[in-house]
Amino acid sequence: MSISIKDVAEKAGVSVATVSRVLSEGPVRADTKERVHAAIKALGYRPNLSARRLRTQHAQTIGLIVSDIRNPFFTAVGRGVEDAAYRAGMRVLLCNTDENVERERMYLRLMQEERVTGLILAPTLAMLDQLQKNPLQFPAVLIDRAGAGGLYDSVVLDNREAANTLVEHLFEEGYRRIGGVFGQTSATGLERRDGYCASMKARGLTPDPRLLPPTVDAGEKAMSEWLAGPDAPEAIIASNGLLLMGVVKAAQRLGRAIPSDLAVAGFDNEDWTEVVGPGLTVIEQPVHDIGRNAMSLLFDRLQNPGLAPRKVVLSGRCIVRGSTLASKPAALAENRSAPLTGAAAMNP
Amino acid sequence: MSISIKDVAEKAGVSVATVSRVLSEGPVRADTKERVHAAIKALGYRPNLSARRLRTQHAQTIGLIVSDIRNPFFTAVGRGVEDAAYRAGMRVLLCNTDENVERERMYLRLMQEERVTGLILAPTLAMLDQLQKNPLQFPAVLIDRAGAGGLYDSVVLDNREAANTLVEHLFEEGYRRIGGVFGQTSATGLERRDGYCASMKARGLTPDPRLLPPTVDAGEKAMSEWLAGPDAPEAIIASNGLLLMGVVKAAQRLGRAIPSDLAVAGFDNEDWTEVVGPGLTVIEQPVHDIGRNAMSLLFDRLQNPGLAPRKVVLSGRCIVRGSTLASKPAALAENRSAPLTGAAAMNP
DNA sequence: ATGAAAGCGCTAACAT
DNA sequence: ATGTTAGCGCTTTCAT
């Protein structure tokens, strides 16, 4: 049993109410306040947050559920959330679902049992669906992956635009057979795929998107097979940093030079994308802003629960590096304009 | 106000005690149990963890305080901890101090206010000191950075051995002017520095260690100046993944080729170290094991508080890649054996 | 300015 | 097997 407010009250010769007032900076005479502080120090008293929360019905806690803590995108977003939360005197409860709906459900339950003040959530596709049917009991903001739904506040990237930017850039550099690997567990992965497909078609090219688990290993495995086959692309787009890493690993393993054998572009401007090979062309997401915006939407909603759901759409910034800047013979470039299906047809 | 056990009891026509028994799988008749479950479902009841914790005096919570969540080493350790915790029915409270003693103290206070069951902590140097003077009120396990102190259980890498392994490897490859950058905020950084210095001296070489804040930027800045100066090393050791990244960035910025202009070795086998340049030689830490071992020590202590503090020392594995494998003329190698101070002296 | 007392939601004796 | 009740540590009326 640890030291309670009662022990402090006894030691200071006052009532528990007075101690409580001292703790909450209430009206207390200076000398009694001093006596109480002395007692607190002498006993090493620390308030019990469980008791306080139970009494006040105020958790002062923001839940943050992300799908993969190993993904630097989410750690960066987390920092944004944390900074804003602590400025507001709130704690952050960080949970990691591993893109696993089971765990996601478990953590959502936990959040409810903790009676969190609000929640910031990067849901899987499956969860996104459930959230529309069974709305949450507390204010929530969706990040990174909001889908179309209109029940929740959200802050996302303009994924279609960003994917289009990458396709456009590759097209202008002369690439035609442009493939793409996309995370299959998130609305974001799908949106980037859609943007890619639309952009390809708009240029008269045949899209070749592959949906994968958003992990390094899945990316490497899929790309290894793809690159070794007859329908190998001459440029590839990866929908997040983990898949991008997988692509690079596969290219290296197969001895494909970047960009001369394979041009590479992707999402997430992580440190390593700058130093690998000739540098990787990426869409940089305003990671910290995503976190901050999410908190800001959340606080607005806490103050005014009646607000209509808002969607904040941020833009990515395309950082062009050497991985997409092959300068090659025009002849080869000509060759490239053959539609992707042409080559694919060679492989019945 | 949310739904409480009382509402459920009323709806099911039983007492709150019975509901509580149902929740804790106590002895309840099958049909009443069913009625209670029905009521729970109908009302969407979820237990209030604050109340439960207050009553049971059992937080069922493991605190985890790390110094930098952006460092993949710590996210990986975190996963190990989380896995073990959830298997034991415990929650993890993850906090991130940014190597900032202020925040570290704040979080330590928070842990106490949450009345955590136990704590896993990667302390800064300054905190390590305080921990010896003012012991914590609850069981704690130090990870990554334990220093010499004997008050706490700890699980660490054999840092001196690992640093020696790197020096030895570089020496055998013919490098003589071997510099090192080490994190200045952790016992681990200092131990690796000491191991490096001892190993250098044992080979008749003059060590040139630099202590830095353990960040990419600090590493890049320091190395840029170092490499541009007259006492530039021909090989460099970096004491963690962030500094290692800084070294690589600096080398690239200055147009130094790896390994022909600068050999590079470091700690932490992150994905990117495999794909950058010729691949980076690194010490791989058993990251997941560190987390798991920490939890295991913690649980042992919870069951038996009287145990004497134990220190688990794990070994790193040296992964040799191209960044340290320059094959160069013997003449150059001869040149290299000139003591580092010789060159340094040219710069008064 | 301070104290007495109720009660937040829950569990665990102790009754029945 | 089930109900009654005390109390975990705290805040917050309501008195004084």
Side-chain angles (χ1 to χ4, degrees):
Chain A
M1 205 107 349
S2 69
I3 293 118
S4 85
I5 207 175
K6 210 170 144 191
D7 303 308
V8 176
E10 226 158 79
K11 178 116 184 170
V14 296
S15 74
V16 293
T18 300
V19 177
S20 177
R21 283 189 196 100
V22 170
L23 291 172
S24 57
E25 322 245 304
V28 189
R29 243 174 41 212
D31 60 322
T32 46
K33 191 190 296 193
E34 204 146 311
R35 282 215 320 284
V36 170
H37 273 131
I40 287 177
K41 195 158 183 192
L43 296 172
Y45 166 77
R46 286 279 115 211
N48 182 320
L49 289 185
S50 291
R52 185 176 282 174
R53 282 198 276 262
L54 175 57
R55 174 60 232 237
T56 61
Q57 305 285 57
H58 252 327
Q60 301 278 61
T61 300
I62 301 299
L64 173 59
I65 301 182
V66 303
S67 57
D68 189 351
I69 192 73
R70 282 168 307 194
N71 187 338
F73 170 77
F74 285 117
T75 63
V77 169
R79 298 291 294 270
V81 169
E82 203 190 5
D83 288 354
Y86 277 96
R87 261 197 297 279
M90 300 225 173
R91 193 171 73 96
V92 174
L93 206 56
L94 172 60
C95 298
N96 173 52
T97 67
D98 252 336
E99 306 278 4
N100 176 335
V101 193
E102 199 70 35
R103 283 172 65 113
E104 208 169 10
R105 248 195 296 270
M106 169 187 102
Y107 280 125
L108 235 29
R109 209 160 42 223
L110 176 69
M111 292 299 166
Q112 205 173 130
E113 299 186 352
E114 294 279 3
R115 304 291 193 268
V116 294
T117 314
L119 178 67
I120 294 176
L121 170 66
T124 59
L125 264 180
M127 182 52 73
L128 196 52
D129 209 49
Q130 285 187 34
L131 288 176
Q132 307 298 334
K133 291 183 209 147
N134 293 18
L136 294 171
Q137 313 292 317
F138 39 80
V141 175
L142 269 31
I143 54 169
D144 182 50
R145 320 161 157 203
L151 271 183
Y152 302 91
D153 291 315
S154 58
V155 28
V156 295
L157 195 77
D158 190 333
N159 289 310
R160 286 190 180 74
E161 176 204 68
N164 173 61
T165 301
L166 290 180
V167 171
E168 184 177 47
H169 166 66
L170 287 168
F171 185 84
E172 282 173 0
E173 290 296 320
Y175 298 98
R176 295 296 177 269
R177 297 165 44 74
I178 304 168
V181 287
F182 303 91
Q184 70 190 167
T185 53
S186 68
T188 286
L190 300 193
E191 285 174 15
R192 290 175 189 172
R193 178 201 56 182
D194 293 346
Y196 154 82
C197 289
S199 187
M200 290 290 282
K201 284 180 193 152
R203 288 172 176 77
L205 305 178
T206 308
D208 189 0
R210 315 235 165 152
L211 288 176
L212 305 174
T215 65
V216 174
D217 287 347
E220 181 178 0
K221 186 158 177 297
M223 277 313 297
S224 293
E225 292 167 9
W226 197 352
L227 290 175
D231 56 346
E234 51 187 30
I236 193 84
I237 290 173
S239 79
N240 72 37
L242 301 175
L243 287 173
L244 185 58
M245 173 64 78
V247 169
V248 171
K249 279 191 161 186
Q252 289 203 356
R253 182 138 318 179
L254 291 169
R256 302 288 193 278
I258 296 173
S260 52
D261 295 331
L262 179 72
V264 174
F267 282 79
D268 296 342
N269 183 31
E270 296 168 18
D271 275 321
W272 66 269
T273 61
E274 189 184 331
V275 296
V276 71
L280 264 36
T281 294
V282 292
I283 298 287
E284 177 182 56
Q285 302 195 57
V287 282
H288 208 264
D289 285 350
I290 292 176
R292 272 218 315 265
N293 270 283
M295 281 301 283
S296 151
L297 287 181
L298 189 52
F299 282 137
D300 286 356
R301 176 153 307 276
L302 291 174
Q303 294 191 327
N304 189 347
L307 244 43
R310 291 181 293 172
K311 184 170 194 163
V312 173
V313 180
L314 302 173
S315 273
R317 188 168 68 96
C318 185
I319 300 177
V320 175
R321 301 202 181 99
S323 68
T324 54
L325 297 181
S327 46
K328 39 206 113 152
L332 189 60
E334 279 319 302
N335 229 354
R336 270 179 190 140
S337 43
L340 197 54
T341 40
M346 288 157 56
N347 178 30
Chain B
M1 207 103 355
S2 69
I3 293 120
S4 86
I5 207 175
K6 211 168 142 191
D7 303 308
V8 176
E10 227 159 80
K11 178 116 185 169
V14 297
S15 74
V16 293
T18 300
V19 178
S20 178
R21 281 189 198 100
V22 169
L23 292 172
S24 58
E25 322 247 304
V28 190
R29 242 175 42 211
D31 58 323
T32 46
K33 192 190 295 193
E34 204 147 310
R35 283 217 316 284
V36 171
H37 273 133
I40 287 176
K41 195 158 183 193
L43 296 172
Y45 165 79
R46 286 279 114 210
N48 182 321
L49 289 185
S50 291
R52 184 176 283 175
R53 282 199 277 261
L54 175 59
R55 173 61 231 235
T56 61
Q57 305 284 52
H58 252 322
Q60 302 278 60
T61 300
I62 301 298
L64 173 59
I65 302 183
V66 302
S67 57
D68 190 350
I69 193 72
R70 283 168 305 193
N71 187 337
F73 168 77
F74 285 117
T75 63
V77 169
R79 298 291 294 269
V81 169
E82 203 190 5
D83 288 354
Y86 277 96
R87 260 197 298 277
M90 301 226 172
R91 203 169 63 98
V92 174
L93 207 55
L94 172 59
C95 299
N96 172 52
T97 66
D98 253 335
E99 306 277 4
N100 176 335
V101 192
E102 199 70 37
R103 284 173 65 114
E104 208 169 9
R105 248 195 295 270
M106 170 186 101
Y107 280 125
L108 234 30
R109 210 161 39 223
L110 176 70
M111 293 299 165
Q112 204 171 132
E113 299 186 353
E114 294 279 3
R115 302 294 193 269
V116 293
T117 314
L119 177 66
I120 294 177
L121 171 66
T124 59
L125 264 179
M127 182 53 74
L128 196 52
D129 209 49
Q130 286 186 34
L131 288 176
Q132 305 298 336
K133 293 182 208 147
N134 294 19
L136 294 171
Q137 312 292 316
F138 40 79
V141 176
L142 269 31
I143 53 168
D144 181 51
R145 320 162 156 201
L151 272 182
Y152 303 91
D153 291 315
S154 58
V155 30
V156 296
L157 195 77
D158 190 335
N159 289 310
R160 286 191 179 75
E161 176 203 67
N164 174 61
T165 301
L166 290 181
V167 171
E168 184 177 46
H169 167 67
L170 287 167
F171 185 84
E172 282 173 1
E173 289 296 321
Y175 298 99
R176 294 297 177 269
R177 297 164 46 74
I178 304 168
V181 287
F182 303 91
Q184 69 188 168
T185 52
S186 68
T188 287
L190 299 192
E191 286 174 15
R192 290 175 189 172
R193 178 201 55 180
D194 294 346
Y196 154 82
C197 289
S199 187
M200 290 290 282
K201 285 179 192 152
R203 286 170 176 76
L205 304 178
T206 307
D208 189 0
R210 314 234 165 153
L211 288 176
L212 304 174
T215 65
V216 175
D217 288 346
E220 181 178 0
K221 186 158 177 297
M223 279 311 298
S224 292
E225 292 167 9
W226 197 352
L227 289 176
D231 56 347
E234 52 188 28
I236 193 84
I237 290 173
S239 79
N240 72 37
L242 301 176
L243 288 174
L244 186 58
M245 173 64 78
V247 169
V248 171
K249 279 192 162 185
Q252 288 204 356
R253 184 138 316 178
L254 292 169
R256 302 288 192 280
I258 297 173
S260 52
D261 297 330
L262 179 72
V264 174
F267 283 78
D268 297 342
N269 183 30
E270 297 169 18
D271 275 320
W272 66 269
T273 61
E274 189 185 332
V275 296
V276 72
L280 265 35
T281 294
V282 292
I283 297 287
E284 178 183 54
Q285 302 195 58
V287 282
H288 208 263
D289 285 350
I290 292 176
R292 274 217 315 264
N293 270 284
M295 281 301 282
S296 153
L297 287 181
L298 189 51
F299 282 138
D300 285 356
R301 177 154 306 279
L302 291 174
Q303 295 191 328
N304 189 347
L307 245 42
R310 289 181 293 173
K311 184 170 194 162
V312 173
V313 179
L314 302 173
S315 274
R317 189 168 67 96
C318 185
I319 300 177
V320 175
R321 300 202 181 99
S323 69
T324 54
L325 295 181
S327 45
K328 39 206 111 149
L332 191 60
E334 280 317 302
N335 229 354
R336 268 179 193 142
S337 43
L340 196 55
T341 41
M346 287 158 53
N347 180 29

